[in-house]
C-alpha cells in the first residue's frame, strides 16, 4: 500500500505554488510597465519637477492601485477575460477592445524590441538589430517550453529584482537629497496634471493592467474566494513599479542636484553614466535590455490573451500565435525601423483603452447577470469612475494636441 502525503504537506505545497503565481502575475504586470518609455519619462519629469516629482509618483501610485484593483477583482469574480466581460456588457465591445489592444501591443512591441536591441548595443557593442533578433529568440524560447506560464513568471521575477537592485545602486551612487524629496512628496512646490496622467497611462494603461489579471485567471486563481489573493497580487504589482520609479527618480535627482548636465538625446543613459561612469553606462544597458524584453513578453502574452476566447483553434495554438506576434514585431523593427508616426498615432489610441476598459468593467461589476451575488465595494466604484473620467479627459486632450492643434 503506497504512502499518502499528509494533507498539511499538500496544502503547504499548494500555498507555495499559489504564492509563486501571485508574485509572477505582479512582476509580469510591473515589468510590462517598466519599458524604455518608463525610463525616459521618469528622467524627463524629474528634470522639470525636481523634488516635487515625488508627489506626482505618490498620486499616480494611488490612482494605479484604484484602477488595477477594480480590473483584477472584476476579472476574478466573473472568471472571464476582459474582452468577454466587455461583450457581455455590450455585444461587440469586446471585439473593439481586443482590436485596440492588439494593434497597440504590436506597435509598442516594435519600440520594446528596439529598446532590447539598444540594451545589447550598450552592453556588447553589437548592432541594435542583431541585439533585437537575439532578444526575440530568448522571448521565443520562453514561450516554447512546456510550462510557458511558469517560465514567463520566473523570468519576470528575476529580471524585475535585478532591475530594482541595480537601480537602487545607481540611486545611492548619486547621493540624492532624499530628505527634501520626502518632504516635497507631501508638500510639492508645483503640480503637473499631465505628468500624473502620463504616469498612470504608462503604469496601467493599454494592455498593461490586464497582464497580471489574465495570468491569474489562466493559473486558476479566480472566484470570490480568491479575492484576497488577487487584491494582494494587484497591489504588489503597483508597488514593484513604484519602487523602480522612486529609485530612478532619486538617481536623476542626485545628478540634477549636483548641477551635472543630462544629455537630452538619451537622458536615461546619461543619468547612469554620470552616476557611475562607464560601469553606470553598462548597467543602463542591462536595465534597458531587461526592461524592454520583459515588456516584449508582457505585451505579446496579454495581446494574444485578448483573442484566445474568440475561437477554439486560437486557444489551442495561442503560444504559436504569441511567437508569431514577437517575430512580426522584430522583423518590423529590423526591416522598417521604428515607425515614429505610427507609434504616435497608436499611442493616442492606446490612451483610450484604460478609460474604455475600466468603465466597461465597472458597469459589469454592478450587473447581477455578470457578477452574480458579488457586491463590488462602493468606494472602489466611485474612485474607479474618477480615474476613468480623468483618463478619458486627458486622452481627448492628448488627441487634440496631436491631430488638431
Amino acid at each position: 500500500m503506497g504512502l499518502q502525503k499528509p494533507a498539511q504537506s499538500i496544502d503547504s505545497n499548494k500555498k507555495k505554488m499559489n504564492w509563486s503565481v501571485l508574485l509572477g502575475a505582479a512582476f509580469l504586470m510591473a515589468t510590462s510597465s517598466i519599458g524604455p518609455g518608463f525610463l525616459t519619462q521618469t528622467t524627463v519629469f524629474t528634470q522639470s519637477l525636481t523634488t516635487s516629482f515625488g508627489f506626482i509618483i505618490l498620486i499616480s501610485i494611488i490612482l494605479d492601485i484604484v484602477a488595477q484593483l477594480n480590473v483584477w477583482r472584476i476579472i476574478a469574480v466573473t472568471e472571464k477575460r476582459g474582452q468577454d466581460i466587455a461583450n457581455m456588457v455590450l455585444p461587440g465591445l469586446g471585439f473593439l477592445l481586443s482590436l485596440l489592444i492588439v494593434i497597440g501591443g504590436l506597435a509598442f512591441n516594435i519600440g520594446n524590441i528596439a529598446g532590447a536591441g539598444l540594451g545589447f548595443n550598450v552592453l556588447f557593442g553589437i548592432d541594435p538589430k542583431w541585439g533585437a533578433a537575439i532578444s526575440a529568440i530568448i522571448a521565443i524560447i520562453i514561450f516554447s517550453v512546456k510550462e510557458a506560464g511558469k517560465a514567463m513568471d520566473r523570468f519576470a521575477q528575476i529580471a524585475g529584482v535585478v532591475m530594482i537592485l541595480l537601480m537602487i545602486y545607481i540611486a545611492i551612487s548619486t547621493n540624492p537629497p532624499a530628505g527634501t524629496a520626502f518632504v516635497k512628496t507631501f508638500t510639492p512646490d508645483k503640480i503637473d496634471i499631465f505628468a500624473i496622467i502620463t504616469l498612470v497611462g504608462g503604469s496601467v494603461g493599454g494592455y498593461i493592467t490586464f497582464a497580471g489579471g489574465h495570468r491569474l485567471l489562466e493559473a486558476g486563481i479566480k472566484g470570490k474566494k480568491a479575492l484576497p489573493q488577487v487584491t494582494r497580487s494587484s497591489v504588489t504589482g503597483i508597488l514593484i513599479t513604484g519602487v523602480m520609479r522612486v529609485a530612478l527618480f532619486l538617481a536623476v535627482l542626485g545628478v540634477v542636484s549636483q548641477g551635472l548636465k543630462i544629455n537630452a538625446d538619451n537622458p536615461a543613459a546619461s543619468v547612469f553614466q554620470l552616476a557611475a561612469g562607464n560601469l553606470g553606462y553598462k548597467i543602463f544597458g542591462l536595465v534597458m535590455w531587461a526592461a524592454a524584453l520583459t515588456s516584449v513578453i508582457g505585451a505579446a502574452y496579454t495581446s494574444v490573451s485578448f483573442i484566445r476566447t474568440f475561437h477554439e483553434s486560437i486557444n489551442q495554438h495561442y503560444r504559436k500565435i504569441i511567437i508569431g506576434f514577437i517575430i512580426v514585431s522584430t522583423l518590423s523593427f529590423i526591416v522598417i525601423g521604428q515607425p515614429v508616426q505610427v507609434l504616435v498615432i497608436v499611442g493616442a489610441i492606446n490612451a483610450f483603452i484604460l478609460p474604455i476598459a475600466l468603465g466597461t468593467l465597472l458597469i459589469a461589476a454592478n450587473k447581477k447577470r455578470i457578477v452574480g451575488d458579488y457586491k463590488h465595494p462602493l468606494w472602489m466604484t466611485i474612485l474607479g469612475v474618477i480615474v476613468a473620467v480623468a483618463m478619458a479627459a486627458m486622452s481627448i486632450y492628448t488627441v487634440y494636441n496631436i491631430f488638431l492643434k
Side-chain angles (χ1 to χ4, degrees):
M1 190 175 182
L3 292 173
Q4 289 186 327
K5 284 188 178 180
Q8 191 176 1
S9 173
I10 294 170
D11 287 345
S12 175
N13 288 337
K14 192 176 179 183
K15 282 179 182 176
K16 281 180 184 176
M17 192 164 32
N18 275 1
W19 175 240
S20 176
V21 172
L22 292 170
L23 203 58
F27 269 96
L28 177 65
M29 172 267 142
T31 54
S32 292
S33 70
I34 302 169
F38 176 100
L39 299 175
T40 303
Q41 286 170 359
T42 305
T43 303
V44 171
F45 282 132
T46 304
Q47 283 180 270
S48 61
L49 296 168
T50 62
T51 52
S52 295
F53 187 53
F55 174 80
I56 305 297
I57 293 173
L58 176 64
I59 297 301
S60 70
I61 287 173
I62 293 169
L63 296 177
D64 290 345
I65 288 173
V66 169
Q68 188 146 290
L69 267 178
N70 274 293
V71 171
W72 285 30
R73 284 174 66 96
I74 296 165
I75 287 172
V77 165
T78 58
E79 301 185 14
K80 297 182 185 300
R81 290 183 172 89
Q83 69 272 24
D84 298 322
I85 300 170
N87 274 334
M88 290 176 76
V89 171
L90 181 67
L93 184 57
F95 295 109
L96 173 62
L97 186 62
S98 298
L99 180 65
L100 291 175
I101 283 179
V102 170
I103 291 172
L106 187 60
F108 284 118
N109 241 12
I110 297 172
N112 291 330
I113 205 75
L118 174 62
F120 251 92
N121 173 258
V122 171
L123 283 168
F124 306 112
I126 64 173
D127 188 306
K129 290 183 178 180
W130 279 107
I134 294 167
S135 301
I137 290 167
I138 294 169
I140 289 167
I141 290 170
I142 289 170
F143 286 110
S144 299
V145 300
K146 190 176 179 181
E147 294 191 327
K150 286 184 180 178
M152 180 175 64
D153 289 347
R154 188 49 55 93
F155 184 81
Q157 288 172 37
I158 294 170
V161 169
V162 168
M163 281 192 288
I164 288 170
L165 291 176
L166 290 174
M167 200 64 255
I168 290 172
Y169 166 74
I170 293 295
I172 292 170
S173 299
T174 66
N175 193 27
T180 307
F182 179 79
V183 171
K184 294 300 178 185
T185 296
F186 302 98
T187 57
D189 294 325
K190 46 189 171 180
I191 298 172
D192 187 337
I193 300 297
F194 180 74
I196 294 173
I197 302 300
T198 302
L199 261 59
V200 173
S203 298
V204 294
Y207 67 87
I208 297 169
T209 192
F210 288 96
H214 282 188
R215 174 68 188 116
L216 291 180
L217 194 63
E218 185 186 351
I221 298 175
K222 56 188 179 180
K224 284 197 291 184
K225 66 183 185 302
L227 283 179
Q229 294 172 298
V230 171
T231 298
R232 189 161 64 248
S233 181
S234 169
V235 174
T236 301
I238 298 299
L239 293 180
I240 291 166
T241 308
V243 169
M244 185 69 178
R245 182 92 69 183
V246 168
L248 181 53
F249 158 58
L250 290 174
V252 180
L253 194 61
V255 168
V256 171
S257 65
Q258 291 175 43
L260 300 173
K261 188 169 177 58
I262 295 173
N263 184 349
D265 292 333
N266 197 346
S270 181
V271 167
F272 281 74
Q273 196 161 24
L274 290 167
N278 193 51
L279 173 63
Y281 187 58
K282 294 295 183 184
I283 289 175
F284 164 76
L286 182 55
V287 170
M288 171 62 85
W289 178 79
L293 187 56
T294 50
S295 293
V296 167
I297 290 167
Y301 168 80
T302 313
S303 296
V304 174
S305 78
F306 266 86
I307 59 172
R308 277 183 68 173
T309 55
F310 294 156
H311 198 280
E312 184 53 36
S313 63
I314 297 175
N315 190 41
Q316 285 178 354
H317 302 288
Y318 80 97
R319 285 196 294 166
K320 292 176 183 175
I321 297 170
I322 290 172
I323 290 169
F325 194 93
I326 294 168
I327 291 171
V328 169
S329 303
T330 308
L331 289 177
S332 298
F333 168 65
I334 291 172
V335 176
I336 304 168
Q338 282 187 267
V340 177
Q341 196 57 39
V342 172
L343 285 171
V344 169
I345 293 168
V346 170
I349 295 170
N350 195 60
F352 284 99
I353 293 175
L354 180 61
I356 291 171
L358 181 55
T360 303
L361 265 62
L362 287 170
I363 292 169
N366 292 282
K367 285 188 176 290
K368 200 168 184 179
R369 66 180 175 83
I370 298 176
V371 296
D373 60 357
Y374 167 71
K375 299 289 183 188
H376 198 59
L378 182 60
W379 67 268
M380 273 194 202
T381 301
I382 293 169
L383 290 177
V385 168
I386 291 170
V387 172
V389 170
M391 289 300 295
M394 195 63 222
S395 301
I396 293 167
Y397 175 76
T398 302
V399 169
Y400 170 76
N401 276 329
I402 291 173
F403 297 111
L404 301 173
K405 195 170 181 180

